[in-house]
Amino acid sequence: MFLSIATTHQPATDLGYLLHKHPERLHDIELTFGKAWVFYPDADQTRCEAVLVLDVDPVGLVRGKGQADGLLDQYVNDRPYAASSFLSVALNKAFRTAMTGVCNARPELADSPIPLEAVVTPLPLRGGEKLLRELFEPLGWGVRVEPVEAADTASTGRLYARVALTGMSRLSTLLNHLYVLIPVLDDAKHYFVGEDEIDKLLRRGEGWLDQHPAKELIVRRYLRHRGMLARAALDRLVPETQQEAIEPEARAAPEDALEAPIRLNDERMMAVVEVLRAAGAKTIADLGCGEGKLLQRLLRERWAERLIGLDPAARELEWAAKRLKLHLPGGPPDERVSLLHGSLTYRDDRWAGAEAAALVEVIEHLDRDRLPLVERVVFGEAHPVTVVVTTPNAEYNVLFPKLAAGAYRHPDHRFEWTRAEFQAWADRIGSTYGYRAALHGIGRQDVARGAPTQMAVFTR
């Protein structure tokens, strides 16, 4: 497989400085799956071209796998020849420093857009030329496509092409676009995809992926369609969804209207504050803080010395800042309150040192398959001394006269648990992460249905 990068910026041989590869040398790179070479077929003052050629060992890929079935398919396929994640790995190993944008010899040039052309061949087009253009054109690249005939095209429908990209860009930006989007077009990875791939994706996608119109497809394909990983990556990109863009009052309206007659929100906040006071916590993280109602109450408490609010919606945090009068006359000292834009499904060291964490009416907004990510981050990695979790009691819903049978209290809720289900979840958290859980009801108790809100207090 073949990748070339050329420029007409003058002197063009400065490309060698940017790539950290001397134009007069042949550079060979040993890889676990084969070998790569970098060389310059053209290098003068007006035009310079660097080429990365990758030779994948097809026998080495399957040696020792012990798979007898489909043995021919293991040896005879497009993996040694079609641009894929193999090429991305080789690209990263050959040009790792260039991908960071660091060039001590030419720092200003490394930070400047220059005329560039990249050629990749043969590039699999899983999704056709249309998808190819949808991926690269929004990034400012002109795209030229020359189909490449393959022996299996008629039988498999697989398309391959020689693709040329042209445009003005920083070299590091081009390299990162190629690193991410080549395996996206191939829609495959040659290695196991785990959580570390999220870091790689976000690092290489910094500055462009969050604004890309096809970001969801890119994330899904890059992470091999692993739903939980894709959702965690998208959460870290923190897109402003339509729901998040709605003003907090409008978002909370259905549930607040339902619970207002019994003043449940006030009782819930008071109960959480009392638990945190009894725990002796001085540094508290409100996870999913929304517009800052709990933080506002905690600001009145002198024992709460340091408060941290985390939420994935920037709009919510703006409302929280106004509610708390941050950076305004009469507001709290800057060092007492921090509002953080981020996701609960990924570790965040900015709040990991909190002595106590509160998730007030948060978990029911999460898809069930995302809940284990939050559990691991909160209870397994941050591991605060005290964690307070509140959630609706589904058994109580029949007592709300305006709530339809079987409906949730809020249209954004993904689930609502019975008391037995919440107890089982709390017990599992306790045994898995080393916590003791005490369950309480909040609000007016019904003899048969219990309280409208359930609260679990986890103590490490």
Side-chain angles (χ1 to χ4, degrees):
M1 54 194 82
F2 173 98
L3 166 66
S4 74
I5 299 169
T7 185
T8 54
H9 166 83
Q10 296 185 18
T13 49
D14 279 353
L15 182 63
Y17 288 107
L18 297 180
L19 290 173
H20 300 268
K21 295 287 184 289
H22 198 290
E24 295 181 4
R25 286 186 51 202
L26 172 66
H27 307 266
D28 55 276
I29 301 108
E30 295 290 340
L31 300 158
T32 57
F33 48 80
K35 192 169 185 178
W37 295 267
V38 175
F39 61 94
Y40 292 76
D42 188 9
D44 58 37
Q45 296 300 301
T46 59
R47 187 178 187 276
C48 187
E49 179 183 15
V51 169
L52 171 65
V53 173
L54 174 60
D55 183 25
V56 174
D57 176 11
V59 177
L61 290 179
V62 297
R63 183 180 291 117
K65 300 294 185 183
Q67 298 176 0
D69 295 337
L71 189 59
L72 183 61
D73 289 340
Q74 294 182 50
Y75 285 91
V76 184
N77 55 55
D78 69 348
R79 295 299 82 188
Y81 315 108
S84 62
S85 59
F86 288 114
L87 185 58
S88 288
V89 171
L91 175 72
N92 183 57
K93 188 158 186 182
F95 303 132
R96 180 177 289 118
T97 305
M99 293 175 74
T100 67
V102 173
C103 180
N104 293 331
R106 298 288 190 275
E108 292 184 1
L109 185 60
D111 289 335
S112 303
I114 60 175
L116 291 168
E117 179 181 43
V119 175
V120 185
T121 189
L123 182 61
L125 301 183
R126 312 286 194 261
E129 182 178 340
K130 180 176 180 291
L131 178 59
L132 170 71
R133 294 187 179 279
E134 289 174 352
L135 293 177
F136 283 102
E137 288 180 347
L139 299 172
W141 296 107
V143 179
R144 296 197 311 273
V145 182
E146 298 176 16
V148 174
E149 292 297 327
D152 66 347
T153 297
S155 60
T156 65
R158 292 173 181 164
L159 302 176
Y160 304 86
R162 178 186 184 275
V163 174
L165 307 173
T166 55
M168 293 286 296
S169 173
R170 296 176 62 200
L171 176 65
S172 58
T173 300
L174 170 62
L175 295 175
N176 285 307
H177 289 170
L178 292 170
Y179 176 86
V180 171
L181 296 179
I182 285 174
V184 167
L185 279 162
D186 185 42
D187 200 13
K189 284 281 183 77
H190 72 275
Y191 53 86
F192 174 76
V193 171
E195 292 181 13
D196 58 333
E197 286 297 295
I198 298 177
D199 285 331
K200 294 179 188 177
L201 173 62
L202 299 185
R203 185 167 62 251
R204 299 307 180 195
E206 185 176 359
W208 62 272
L209 181 56
D210 61 335
Q211 299 298 320
H212 199 292
K215 61 178 174 288
E216 292 186 5
L217 178 143
I218 292 169
V219 169
R220 190 169 63 250
R221 283 191 170 203
Y222 184 90
L223 297 171
R224 289 188 66 176
H225 301 275
R226 295 194 61 188
M228 290 180 64
L229 295 183
R231 281 187 286 273
L234 289 168
D235 280 344
R236 290 185 63 188
L237 285 172
V238 198
E240 288 297 320
T241 64
Q242 291 181 349
Q243 178 67 16
E244 289 170 340
I246 299 173
E247 292 184 358
E249 285 86 348
R251 290 185 59 196
E255 194 169 3
D256 284 353
L258 194 71
E259 298 175 348
I262 57 175
R263 301 185 60 81
L264 184 55
N265 185 63
D266 290 340
E267 291 196 44
R268 197 157 44 218
M269 294 298 173
M270 287 189 293
V272 172
V273 170
E274 287 304 314
V275 167
L276 295 172
R277 178 188 286 112
K282 295 183 177 181
T283 302
I284 300 162
D286 183 5
L287 306 178
C289 66
E291 56 181 297
K293 291 181 179 179
L294 176 62
L295 295 172
Q296 184 180 39
R297 288 176 179 260
L298 289 170
L299 273 176
R300 304 169 189 163
E301 307 292 335
R302 293 185 178 181
W303 50 268
E305 297 177 359
R306 180 89 171 86
L307 300 174
I308 304 165
L310 178 80
D311 204 272
R315 180 64 172 159
E316 296 272 274
L317 294 174
E318 290 174 7
W319 280 88
K322 292 177 182 178
R323 176 184 289 273
L324 302 174
K325 300 181 180 179
L326 297 190
H327 315 302
L328 294 174
D334 290 350
E335 64 275 9
R336 191 179 179 201
V337 182
S338 298
L339 296 180
L340 307 178
H341 193 203
S343 169
L344 255 183
T345 57
Y346 215 87
R347 178 173 179 169
D348 191 335
D349 290 335
R350 295 176 297 173
W351 65 266
E355 298 165 294
L359 293 92
V360 179
E361 307 298 284
V362 169
I363 61 172
E364 63 272 14
H365 292 269
L366 300 168
D367 290 327
R368 286 180 181 269
D369 60 351
R370 294 170 63 195
L371 191 56
L373 293 173
V374 176
E375 295 169 4
R376 189 202 67 224
V377 168
V378 175
F379 295 97
E381 295 180 355
H383 210 53
V385 175
T386 304
V387 181
V388 185
V389 179
T390 75
T391 194
N393 170 18
E395 297 169 70
Y396 197 92
N397 288 353
V398 296
L399 300 179
F400 289 112
K402 295 183 180 180
L403 186 63
Y408 293 152
R409 297 186 197 178
H410 192 287
D412 188 53
H413 285 185
R414 300 301 191 261
F415 60 85
E416 291 179 1
W417 279 335
T418 65
R419 287 173 291 175
E421 288 171 323
F422 191 46
Q423 179 74 64
W425 178 77
D427 290 344
R428 181 175 59 79
I429 293 296
S431 61
T432 303
Y433 296 105
Y435 282 83
R436 182 178 65 255
L439 269 64
H440 309 270
I442 299 175
R444 184 180 303 165
Q445 293 272 348
D446 179 79
V447 175
R449 305 291 182 179
T453 291
Q454 310 181 79
M455 177 173 66
V457 179
F458 297 90
T459 306
R460 193 178 69 201

